[in-house]
């Protein structure tokens, strides 16, 4: 049986989730004139929590495949590391800013949103490298002995 490029498919799906949520849905909600900033931020918080759950599920599936197929996927693992930095390092800072805005407190300080967006961009690039690197999965098939 032909070994399909499953890790690439998971990486492509993961990149699609990030693109759809971070670069399409999130900016779109801030274009709604009737949506207040505090409400938009609260909606964003829920959206990003849902997204990270999807990302974690895809990481688990992807990591399981990488390990099961005994593949070397450094760019996949780098994308996982970027996700960890986002959710352990940057997201708590963004949540604190969101809490302040929702409470009506003026907010200033470092542009953590810019850092998050840059990390999202790096993660998407890494995931596309995973997708494109094997040329359709031929090397993965050879490594799996198929």
């Amino acid at each position: 049986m032909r070994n399909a490029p499953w890790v690439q498919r998971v990486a492509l799906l993961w990149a699609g989730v990030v693109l759809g949520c971070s670069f399409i849905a999130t900016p779109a909600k801030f274009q709604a004139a009737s949506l207040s900033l505090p409400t938009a931020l609260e909606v964003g918080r829920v959206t990003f929590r849902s997204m990270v759950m999807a990302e974690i599920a895809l990481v688990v599936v992807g990591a399981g495949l990488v390990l099961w197929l005994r593949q070397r996927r450094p760019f996949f693992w780098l994308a996982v590391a970027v996700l960890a930095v986002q959710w352990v390092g940057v997201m708590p800072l963004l949540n604190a800013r969101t809490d302040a805005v929702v409470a009506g407190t003026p907010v200033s300080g470092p542009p953590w949103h810019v850092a998050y967006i840059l990390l999202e961009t790096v993660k998407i690039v890494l995931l596309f490298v995973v997708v494109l690197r094997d040329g359709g999965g031929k090397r993965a098939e050879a490594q799996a002995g198929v």
Side-chain angles (χ1 to χ4, degrees):
M1 179 175 171
R2 185 176 179 276
N3 181 27
W6 292 107
V7 177
Q8 290 93 327
R9 290 175 183 178
V10 169
L12 187 60
L13 181 59
W14 183 5
V17 166
V18 172
L19 282 168
C21 182
S22 292
F23 293 101
I24 297 172
T26 297
K29 84 171 157 273
F30 288 103
Q31 301 302 312
S34 64
L35 194 61
S36 70
L37 179 59
T39 302
L41 290 172
E42 288 182 282
V43 169
R45 181 180 286 172
V46 172
T47 302
F48 277 89
R49 283 188 186 144
S50 298
M51 182 180 75
V52 79
M53 296 309 292
E55 285 188 279
I56 289 169
L58 291 166
V59 164
V60 168
V61 171
L65 287 167
V66 167
L67 296 172
W68 182 58
L69 296 171
R70 296 184 180 143
Q71 295 179 345
R72 292 185 46 200
R73 299 290 181 149
F75 294 102
F76 176 84
W77 296 116
L78 285 171
V80 172
V82 169
L83 177 64
V85 167
Q86 286 179 293
W87 285 93
V88 173
V90 180
M91 193 52 72
L93 300 168
L94 289 174
N95 280 332
R97 290 176 62 90
T98 297
D99 290 341
V101 171
V102 169
T105 306
V107 178
S108 63
W112 295 113
H113 286 93
V114 173
Y116 191 87
I117 291 166
L118 290 172
L119 288 168
E120 287 287 74
T121 303
V122 168
K123 184 169 54 181
I124 289 169
V125 168
L126 290 168
L127 292 168
F128 278 123
V129 170
V130 172
V131 171
L132 299 172
R133 187 166 172 156
D134 280 339
K138 292 189 186 333
R139 185 170 48 195
E141 289 174 7
Q143 287 177 349
V146 177

